[in-house]
DNA sequence: CCTCGATGCGTACAGTGTTCGCAAGAAGCG
DNA sequence: CGCTTCTTGCGAACACTGTACGCATCGAGG
């Protein structure tokens, strides 16, 4: 690199460096690039030097727009919260339930699109003050308000459902990143490690019986159905007091 | 160290090194020391060199008993699952509910005792094959079996409740570690950052209204009550189909 | 034109996980 | 007892990490 710079007349180097297309480096660009890097290569590939390389920038240049890696992760988390679809406020009170189901599916899909978020959540929590998260929370409260819930009741429904969804989906996300890191699929794993798992389960008769049955189904569908089933029960609990 | 070894007759050094009290280094010791270190100093303080120091051992010695840091974290996760209290199988079918509540409280207390687990969960998932987790899962399935649930139904209740509990508690854990890292208490935070938070919430009227009310209560009680309320709703959902 | 604040970045530092090879003791075996 | 083999601890080294600092270079404002 330094050899090139001295070999070429320095004017070119200056022109090339000084004003890249667009404004060279901005916080939004950095965050967007970080999300792309995380999606394609996973959490452990996100280093400041790696990220700088993607932006044709030096590692330390990023610190002009982002205070630290931790702060970058908070920004990144809120960035992907912006992908969530908030259903429109219902016109009839009974529609709170399908709106909640739609929102829950949106959250699950978002986490599975960005499974690394599972590892970030434990450190950053929900970054409660992120603008996207605030906007979405407020809009969802509006949904429940339109359905006739009080603010506290609406918040209870939303929080409970969100806890359930993240709880389920973090496990799923951890599973898919584990598979991705080994370059395996669900089927690969079952074929290769199932005998070992079955052997390990031998001292536990109920576990053995439970998983002996469900091995032939495809696991993706099983996860989807399990998610919807549990979600339905949670909503049943709130629907009961509503009626 | 090297200076001491040459200064002192080498016999002492050999005696001291060869057989320390107990058997010097074992996987259980390493895991237990790791849990202690994580509890007292947090996740970012867990490095192999630091852990080695605690055990009067070199960093690389640990690799004789543990394949990698990732594996150590899996072992550590299963270790603390061993602290969970599984309620005894109920004698009457209706008691599944209070048994589930007791288990949920045990899980929440365990996570709050070891809040760093929130950051580990996203990477390791539940290490489904860990012996402690298997034992506990099997015992809980036994609880539901004794209450008259089918194996699949019991698993559904347990999974849903566990998802809810971990979802809620991971957020709480992230919160307390954030406070701990800054050496603050709940009250500190509210006194110092509340005006800023309130200002940030201004564009979101429902959020503002929601949190404007609950500022005078003590947040610990609020979290406890919110947890129990949501848990009750989840159990209501399952109780409904049961009756 | 000249100054000034903002921006990019090379260097450096302390620390990380992990590999490798060596030494020293334990254990099996004659 | 001796001899060999196996296990265990560890120092040195490697490739990397996040980040502080100071120096260049730039566009904008006087």
């Amino acid at each position: 690199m330094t050899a090139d710079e001295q070999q070429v007349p320095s004017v070119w180097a200056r022109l090339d460096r000084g004003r890249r297309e667009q404004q060279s480096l901005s916080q939004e660009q950095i965050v967007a690039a970080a999300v792309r890097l995380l999606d394609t290569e996973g959490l452990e590939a996100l280093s400041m030097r790696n990220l700088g390389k993607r932006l044709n920038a030096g590692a330390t240049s990023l610190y002009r727009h982002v205070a630290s890696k931790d702060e970058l992760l908070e920004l990144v988390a809120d960035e992907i919260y912006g992908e969530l679809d908030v259903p429109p406020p219902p016109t009839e009170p009974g529609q709170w339930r399908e709106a909640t189901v739609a929102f829950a599916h949106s959250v699950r899909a978002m986490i599975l699109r960005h499974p690394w978020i599972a590892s970030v959540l434990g450190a950053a929590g929900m970054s409660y003050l992120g603008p996207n998260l605030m906007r979405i929370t407020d809009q969802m409260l509006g949904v429940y308000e339109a359905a006739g819930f009080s603010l506290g009741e609406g918040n209870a429904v939303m929080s409970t459902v969100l806890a359930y969804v993240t709880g389920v989906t973090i496990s799923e996300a951890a599973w898919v990143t584990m598979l991705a890191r080994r370059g395996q699929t669900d089927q690969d794993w079952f074929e290769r490690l199932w005998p070992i798992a079955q052997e390990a389960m031998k001292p536990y008769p109920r576990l053995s019986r439970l998983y002996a049955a469900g091995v032939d189904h495809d696991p993706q569908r099983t996860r989807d159905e399990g998610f919807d089933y549990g979600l339905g029960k949670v909503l049943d609990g709130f629907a009961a007091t509503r009626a």
Side-chain angles (χ1 to χ4, degrees), chain A:
Chain A
M1 293 288 179
T2 56
D4 282 341
E5 283 178 0
Q6 288 169 352
Q7 185 180 349
V8 151
S10 59
V11 206
W12 297 108
R14 265 188 244 133
L15 279 186
D16 196 10
R17 172 193 303 164
R19 274 282 139 260
R20 199 171 316 288
E21 74 258 26
Q22 307 189 14
Q23 69 271 33
S24 202
L25 227 52
S26 74
Q27 189 174 90
E28 293 97 37
Q29 274 184 26
I30 292 175
V31 171
V35 171
R36 276 195 305 267
L37 201 162
L38 287 163
D39 285 344
T40 57
E41 301 189 43
L43 183 58
E44 69 276 10
L46 179 67
S47 71
M48 300 307 263
R49 289 178 238 264
N50 249 333
L51 184 55
K53 229 168 270 172
R54 289 243 177 167
L55 291 159
N56 289 40
T60 60
S61 308
L62 308 176
Y63 284 88
R64 294 285 173 192
H65 305 90
V66 154
S68 66
K69 191 183 179 183
D70 284 341
E71 183 186 295
L72 174 60
L73 285 175
E74 285 186 45
L75 292 169
V76 152
D78 194 69
E79 170 84 2
I80 64 174
Y81 293 152
E83 298 177 9
L84 293 178
D85 294 321
V86 178
T91 55
E92 295 176 32
Q95 289 173 331
W96 67 271
R97 182 163 177 145
E98 46 191 304
T100 306
V101 169
F103 182 66
H105 281 139
S106 174
V107 172
R108 186 166 97 111
M110 183 274 279
I111 294 179
L112 293 178
R113 266 199 309 277
H114 309 293
W116 41 266
I117 192 64
S119 297
V120 176
L121 268 190
M126 306 257 157
S127 53
Y128 289 111
L129 293 178
N132 278 328
L133 184 56
M134 283 185 130
R135 194 195 76 235
I136 277 146
T137 309
D138 198 76
Q139 287 177 352
M140 276 307 288
L141 288 176
V143 167
Y144 295 111
E145 207 169 41
F149 285 82
S150 81
L151 209 52
E153 287 171 335
N155 183 53
V157 179
M158 187 186 62
S159 300
T160 304
V161 170
L162 208 55
Y164 167 74
V165 175
T166 55
V168 172
T169 317
I170 278 180
S171 279
E172 288 188 69
W175 178 261
V176 310
T177 61
M178 185 266 262
L179 288 179
R181 244 195 325 208
R182 307 191 186 177
Q184 291 183 335
T185 76
D186 274 313
Q187 296 296 358
D188 287 342
W189 192 90
F190 273 106
E191 284 167 14
R192 304 172 71 141
L193 264 64
W194 183 243
I196 299 173
Q198 216 157 8
E199 188 65 25
M201 281 196 290
K202 257 208 178 129
Y204 311 103
R206 286 171 279 257
L207 270 183
S208 301
R209 265 192 292 143
L210 179 63
Y211 286 111
V215 67
D216 42 357
H217 291 42
D218 81 309
Q220 181 59 51
R221 176 172 290 276
T222 305
R223 287 196 290 264
D224 290 350
E225 289 174 355
F227 177 79
D228 282 333
Y229 184 80
L231 179 59
K233 293 301 176 189
V234 174
L235 295 180
D236 287 349
F238 285 101
T241 61
R242 194 109 195 103

